[in-house]
Amino acid sequence: MESMQSQLGVYHQRERKCLQILCRIFSIVSVILLIITVVLTINSSQKLKTYSQCTGTIVDFYETSAPRGTDSHRSKRVSPVVAYTVDGKNYDFVGNYYSSGMKIGQQISILYHNQDHSNAVIRASLYFAPIIVGVLTLLFTLLYITCTMLKKKRSLAF
Protein backbone atom coordinates (compact mmCIF):
# COMPACT_ATOMS: atom_id res chain seq x y z
CA MET A 1 0.00 0.00 0.00
CA GLU A 2 2.78 2.44 0.94
CA SER A 3 4.65 1.51 -2.24
CA MET A 4 1.62 2.38 -4.31
CA GLN A 5 1.22 5.74 -2.54
CA SER A 6 4.89 6.60 -3.07
CA GLN A 7 4.57 5.70 -6.76
CA LEU A 8 1.50 7.93 -6.97
CA GLY A 9 3.46 10.74 -5.30
CA VAL A 10 6.30 10.38 -7.82
CA TYR A 11 3.76 10.39 -10.67
CA HIS A 12 2.11 13.58 -9.38
CA GLN A 13 5.50 15.21 -8.90
CA ARG A 14 6.44 14.44 -12.52
CA GLU A 15 3.06 15.74 -13.65
CA ARG A 16 3.64 19.03 -11.79
CA LYS A 17 7.11 19.40 -13.29
CA CYS A 18 5.72 18.80 -16.80
CA LEU A 19 3.06 21.45 -16.19
CA GLN A 20 5.70 23.89 -14.93
CA ILE A 21 7.82 23.31 -18.04
CA LEU A 22 4.80 23.74 -20.30
CA CYS A 23 3.80 26.94 -18.52
CA ARG A 24 7.31 28.33 -18.91
CA ILE A 25 7.41 27.44 -22.61
CA PHE A 26 4.00 29.04 -23.24
CA SER A 27 4.98 32.18 -21.33
CA ILE A 28 8.30 32.56 -23.17
CA VAL A 29 6.68 31.99 -26.57
CA SER A 30 3.90 34.48 -25.67
CA VAL A 31 6.42 37.17 -24.74
CA ILE A 32 8.49 36.61 -27.89
CA LEU A 33 5.38 36.71 -30.10
CA LEU A 34 4.16 39.85 -28.31
CA ILE A 35 7.48 41.57 -29.03
CA ILE A 36 7.30 40.51 -32.69
CA THR A 37 3.70 41.76 -32.91
CA VAL A 38 4.68 45.14 -31.47
CA VAL A 39 7.67 45.46 -33.85
CA LEU A 40 5.54 44.53 -36.88
CA THR A 41 2.80 46.96 -35.82
CA ILE A 42 5.30 49.80 -35.33
CA ASN A 43 6.90 49.01 -38.71
CA SER A 44 3.49 49.08 -40.40
CA SER A 45 2.50 52.37 -38.75
CA GLN A 46 5.84 53.92 -39.77
CA LYS A 47 5.20 52.92 -43.37
CA LEU A 48 1.77 54.50 -43.20
CA LYS A 49 3.46 57.76 -42.10
CA THR A 50 6.34 57.76 -44.62
CA TYR A 51 4.60 56.22 -47.61
CA SER A 52 1.90 57.70 -49.83
CA GLN A 53 -1.08 55.79 -51.12
CA CYS A 54 -2.08 55.27 -54.73
CA THR A 55 -3.83 52.70 -56.87
CA GLY A 56 -1.86 50.09 -58.76
CA THR A 57 -2.92 47.55 -61.35
CA ILE A 58 -1.98 43.87 -61.33
CA VAL A 59 -0.31 43.31 -64.70
CA ASP A 60 1.10 39.81 -64.24
CA PHE A 61 1.95 37.11 -61.73
CA TYR A 62 5.45 36.01 -60.87
CA GLU A 63 5.94 32.39 -59.83
CA THR A 64 8.95 31.00 -58.04
CA SER A 65 9.62 27.43 -57.02
CA ALA A 66 11.30 26.55 -53.79
CA PRO A 67 12.62 23.18 -52.65
CA ARG A 68 10.28 21.49 -50.23
CA GLY A 69 12.44 19.49 -47.88
CA THR A 70 13.71 16.19 -49.20
CA ASP A 71 10.52 15.61 -51.15
CA SER A 72 10.68 15.70 -54.93
CA HIS A 73 7.71 18.10 -54.99
CA ARG A 74 8.34 21.80 -55.10
CA SER A 75 6.16 24.46 -53.57
CA LYS A 76 5.21 27.42 -55.72
CA ARG A 77 5.08 30.98 -54.52
CA VAL A 78 2.93 33.37 -56.51
CA SER A 79 3.39 37.13 -56.30
CA PRO A 80 1.52 39.80 -58.24
CA VAL A 81 3.42 42.20 -60.47
CA VAL A 82 1.87 45.61 -59.82
CA ALA A 83 2.21 48.67 -62.07
CA TYR A 84 1.52 52.21 -60.86
CA THR A 85 2.19 55.80 -61.86
CA VAL A 86 3.52 58.61 -59.66
CA ASP A 87 4.11 62.13 -60.97
CA GLY A 88 3.71 60.92 -64.55
CA LYS A 89 6.40 58.24 -64.20
CA ASN A 90 5.55 54.52 -64.47
CA TYR A 91 6.80 52.00 -61.91
CA ASP A 92 6.24 48.35 -61.25
CA PHE A 93 7.19 45.92 -58.51
CA VAL A 94 6.68 42.31 -57.46
CA GLY A 95 4.23 42.36 -54.59
CA ASN A 96 4.87 40.88 -51.18
CA TYR A 97 1.30 39.68 -50.70
CA TYR A 98 -0.90 37.35 -52.73
CA SER A 99 -4.55 36.41 -52.47
CA SER A 100 -6.26 33.78 -54.60
CA GLY A 101 -8.87 36.40 -55.52
CA MET A 102 -6.30 38.57 -57.31
CA LYS A 103 -6.64 38.83 -61.09
CA ILE A 104 -4.76 40.54 -63.90
CA GLY A 105 -6.21 44.00 -64.45
CA GLN A 106 -7.44 44.28 -60.87
CA GLN A 107 -6.88 47.63 -59.15
CA ILE A 108 -5.33 47.42 -55.68
CA SER A 109 -4.25 49.92 -53.08
CA ILE A 110 -0.48 50.29 -52.73
CA LEU A 111 1.88 52.47 -50.73
CA TYR A 112 5.05 53.96 -52.17
CA HIS A 113 7.89 55.66 -50.32
CA ASN A 114 7.73 59.45 -50.42
CA GLN A 115 11.42 59.87 -51.36
CA ASP A 116 11.90 56.72 -53.45
CA HIS A 117 8.77 56.21 -55.54
CA SER A 118 10.06 52.84 -56.82
CA ASN A 119 9.90 51.43 -53.28
CA ALA A 120 6.32 50.17 -52.90
CA VAL A 121 4.25 47.60 -51.01
CA ILE A 122 0.70 46.32 -51.26
CA ARG A 123 -1.28 48.09 -48.55
CA ALA A 124 -3.11 44.93 -47.42
CA SER A 125 0.23 43.29 -46.59
CA LEU A 126 0.90 45.84 -43.85
CA TYR A 127 -1.90 44.41 -41.74
CA PHE A 128 -1.48 40.73 -42.55
CA ALA A 129 1.66 39.92 -40.54
CA PRO A 130 0.75 41.83 -37.33
CA ILE A 131 -2.72 40.25 -37.29
CA ILE A 132 -1.42 36.70 -37.79
CA VAL A 133 1.33 37.05 -35.19
CA GLY A 134 -1.11 38.82 -32.85
CA VAL A 135 -3.55 35.91 -33.09
CA LEU A 136 -0.71 33.48 -32.35
CA THR A 137 0.26 35.65 -29.35
CA LEU A 138 -3.31 35.46 -28.08
CA LEU A 139 -3.39 31.68 -28.58
CA PHE A 140 -0.16 31.09 -26.64
CA THR A 141 -1.27 33.50 -23.92
CA LEU A 142 -4.52 31.53 -23.53
CA LEU A 143 -2.50 28.30 -23.40
CA TYR A 144 -0.30 29.85 -20.69
CA ILE A 145 -3.34 30.94 -18.66
CA THR A 146 -4.93 27.50 -19.01
CA CYS A 147 -1.70 25.80 -18.02
CA THR A 148 -1.32 28.07 -14.98
CA MET A 149 -4.89 27.37 -13.89
CA LEU A 150 -4.32 23.62 -14.27
CA LYS A 151 -1.13 23.88 -12.25
CA LYS A 152 -2.92 25.72 -9.45
CA LYS A 153 -5.82 23.29 -9.54
CA ARG A 154 -3.42 20.34 -9.29
CA SER A 155 -1.48 21.90 -6.40
CA LEU A 156 -4.73 22.52 -4.49
CA ALA A 157 -5.78 18.91 -5.03
CA PHE A 158 -2.61 17.63 -3.38
Side-chain angles (χ1 to χ4, degrees):
M1 185 79 162
E2 280 182 39
S3 166
M4 194 165 133
Q5 284 181 340
S6 69
Q7 284 178 344
L8 250 167
V10 169
Y11 171 76
H12 291 299
Q13 195 173 16
R14 284 184 192 155
E15 188 178 86
R16 270 187 256 147
K17 286 209 186 267
C18 286
L19 272 173
Q20 283 178 337
I21 291 169
L22 270 177
C23 285
R24 285 185 185 138
I25 289 170
F26 290 148
S27 68
I28 290 168
V29 171
S30 294
V31 169
I32 291 169
L33 287 173
L34 178 63
I35 291 168
I36 292 170
T37 302
V38 169
V39 168
L40 289 171
T41 303
I42 290 170
N43 185 32
S44 293
S45 68
Q46 288 299 323
K47 281 189 178 177
L48 286 171
K49 290 178 186 175
T50 59
Y51 283 49
S52 295
Q53 183 173 327
C54 75
T55 302
T57 304
I58 298 174
V59 294
D60 200 1
F61 289 99
Y62 179 74
E63 282 189 28
T64 55
S65 294
R68 192 177 192 198
T70 58
D71 220 351
S72 63
H73 296 86
R74 294 184 167 287
S75 65
K76 288 183 181 177
R77 181 184 164 151
V78 178
S79 302
V81 178
V82 181
Y84 61 102
T85 303
V86 178
D87 297 332
K89 189 171 179 188
N90 295 328
Y91 300 92
D92 62 22
F93 71 101
V94 177
N96 53 344
Y97 170 78
Y98 172 74
S99 168
S100 60
M102 291 179 165
K103 296 178 181 12
I104 292 178
Q106 179 181 350
Q107 304 264 313
I108 60 171
S109 180
I110 64 164
L111 298 171
Y112 63 90
H113 195 278
N114 290 332
Q115 272 73 48
D116 179 10
H117 299 319
S118 65
N119 182 358
V121 295
I122 297 172
R123 184 179 172 103
S125 69
L126 290 181
Y127 309 111
F128 189 68
I131 288 171
I132 295 298
V133 178
V135 167
L136 287 173
T137 303
L138 183 61
L139 174 70
F140 274 91
T141 302
L142 290 173
L143 287 171
Y144 168 72
I145 291 168
T146 303
C147 185
T148 303
M149 289 172 60
L150 277 173
K151 193 169 82 171
K152 284 184 181 180
K153 186 177 177 182
R154 298 266 188 221
S155 67
L156 291 175
F158 301 106

